[in-house]
Amino acid sequence: MKSGFIAIVGKPNVGKSSLMNALVGEKVSIVTPKAQTTRDNIMGILTTSDYQMVFVDTPGVHKSRTVLGSYMNKAAASAGTDADAVVIVLDATKPLTESEIGFVEKYLKTGIHVYVVINKTDLVKYEKIYPMLSKLAYLTSPADGRGAIREIIPTSCRTGFNVDLLKTYLAGELVEGDCYFPEDEYTDKSERYMVCEIVREKALLFLQEEIPHGIGVYIQSMTDEGNLYRIEVDMMCEKPSHKPIVIGHDGEKLKQIGESARGEIEKLLGKKVFLKLFVKVREGWRDRPGQIRNLNH
């Protein structure tokens, strides 16, 4: 048996979570069109008869303005240094920047094997991908002080293009050893954590641009009553003016979030769910370490 850890890193909204979900074959990380959806390192576990590959989905690296933002950047950095290999995800729909090239070079200097994925290829023509490949070409050969990119793989998580090919390459990075997790597990996160993430995903999808990243979610109570889970969830917002927006006219927005989340939570837990959402104002919570530690619990 072989096993190992693969970190998935990159800027916000390049498709890191979608890639991990495609590799694992399960919805492990929440996915939305909004940047900085992932706030913490989340492991996705793929176990076959030959190996166990543990993927670490990291928050997008960005210029942080809050304690929460700094926490997210630290989580991403720690995952990259502890992994057996790193997958750097780039967005095929956007021009490759000098900072992204520098980001790749930084990892090539660590000695960790680096794979570069050009994601979202289903949204562009090859003419847009070629300049990215051309700019990265010099990094496919080693130089003083750095290694070389192992492979550059264009992918599409939506169509599955080259996902299995990437998986095959990454399996070659694993080493002889025991499994880290039971073979029937596909994530390291608890059910409580996943419930919070599902609620936060729906809030990100249904709320306006200025509010979503000011939303924090934690569970007040989660009771298994045999044929039913009874769950009460607090949604924190940063400003009093945000609370009525989250709730919506006659509670419609909160109802929309709750109904969408409940269906997915029922699939996760395998039974009926009674879900109750409460909206509370916690001004400046993203700059309070104590509040951040309570998230997703």
Side-chain angles (χ1 to χ4, degrees):
M1 195 71 178
K2 291 185 175 183
S3 58
F5 288 83
I6 311 294
I8 303 176
V9 302
K11 286 190 171 182
N13 212 31
V14 293
K16 299 182 297 295
S17 296
S18 296
L19 180 63
M20 185 174 77
N21 291 345
L23 288 163
V24 175
E26 297 281 355
K27 184 175 178 179
V28 181
S29 280
I30 63 172
V31 177
T32 78
K34 295 183 172 70
Q36 299 170 32
T37 295
T38 301
R39 286 179 174 166
D40 203 350
N41 291 345
I42 301 174
M43 293 183 186
I45 305 157
L46 173 64
T47 305
T48 71
S49 57
D50 300 316
Y51 62 77
Q52 183 174 86
M53 206 179 313
V54 183
F55 300 98
V56 186
D57 181 20
T58 62
V61 178
H62 62 289
K63 187 177 289 186
S64 62
R65 297 183 180 88
T66 63
V67 171
L68 176 60
S70 298
Y71 169 82
M72 289 160 63
N73 281 339
K74 287 177 184 177
S78 66
T81 56
D82 294 338
D84 295 291
V86 170
V87 175
I88 298 175
V89 185
L90 304 174
D91 187 343
T93 68
K94 297 176 182 177
L96 184 62
T97 65
E98 289 301 317
S99 67
E100 286 175 307
I101 293 172
F103 187 75
V104 176
E105 285 187 307
K106 182 189 79 170
Y107 276 100
L108 290 174
K109 292 175 182 177
T110 65
I112 299 172
H113 288 174
V114 173
Y115 293 79
V116 173
V117 162
I118 301 177
N119 196 27
K120 305 184 185 180
T121 57
D122 57 301
L123 301 178
V124 298
K125 294 182 179 179
Y126 185 78
E127 289 76 22
K128 198 156 186 176
I129 300 171
Y130 182 78
M132 300 181 76
L133 297 172
S134 181
K135 281 187 176 182
L136 293 167
Y138 79 99
L139 293 175
T140 59
S141 299
D144 288 342
R146 67 160 174 82
I149 296 172
R150 303 284 282 186
E151 298 286 346
I152 302 175
I153 306 107
T155 65
S156 167
C157 299
R158 188 179 66 84
T159 66
F161 175 62
N162 276 347
V163 171
D164 285 341
L165 176 64
L166 173 62
K167 204 182 298 182
T168 300
Y169 284 134
L170 296 176
E173 298 292 338
L174 306 179
V175 297
E176 297 287 341
D178 296 331
C179 292
Y180 294 96
F181 297 94
E183 62 180 29
D184 59 341
E185 290 188 7
Y186 64 87
T187 184
D188 65 318
K189 296 301 185 184
S190 67
E191 289 179 339
R192 292 174 70 93
Y193 182 96
M194 298 298 288
V195 167
C196 286
E197 283 289 88
I198 290 169
V199 173
R200 191 167 68 86
E201 178 187 57
K202 304 314 175 187
L204 284 165
L205 290 171
F206 289 119
L207 293 174
Q208 297 176 22
E209 288 293 331
E210 70 270 19
I211 295 177
H213 296 300
I215 292 289
V217 179
Y218 62 96
I219 291 177
Q220 283 286 13
S221 65
M222 182 170 170
T223 308
D224 185 352
E225 298 182 353
N227 61 344
L228 171 79
Y229 266 100
R230 196 174 297 274
I231 304 172
E232 294 188 354
V233 173
D234 282 356
M235 298 172 60
M236 295 187 298
C237 57
E238 288 188 299
K239 299 178 181 179
S241 59
H242 286 173
K243 185 173 180 177
I245 298 174
V246 176
I247 294 172
H249 180 67
D250 289 336
E252 281 302 311
K253 187 66 67 175
L254 194 63
K255 182 180 178 183
Q256 202 175 19
I257 294 168
E259 287 181 348
S260 182
R262 186 179 67 249
E264 202 159 313
I265 294 168
E266 287 179 342
K267 291 178 184 177
L268 171 72
L269 300 177
K271 60 179 70 176
K272 289 289 184 182
V273 167
F274 177 81
L275 178 65
K276 202 166 186 179
L277 303 180
F278 300 90
V279 182
K280 298 185 177 181
V281 179
R282 296 287 186 272
E283 295 188 48
W285 70 264
R286 286 191 290 176
D287 282 314
R288 297 179 185 177
Q291 295 280 14
I292 293 167
R293 283 194 294 271
N294 286 334
L295 291 179
N296 303 79
H297 291 92

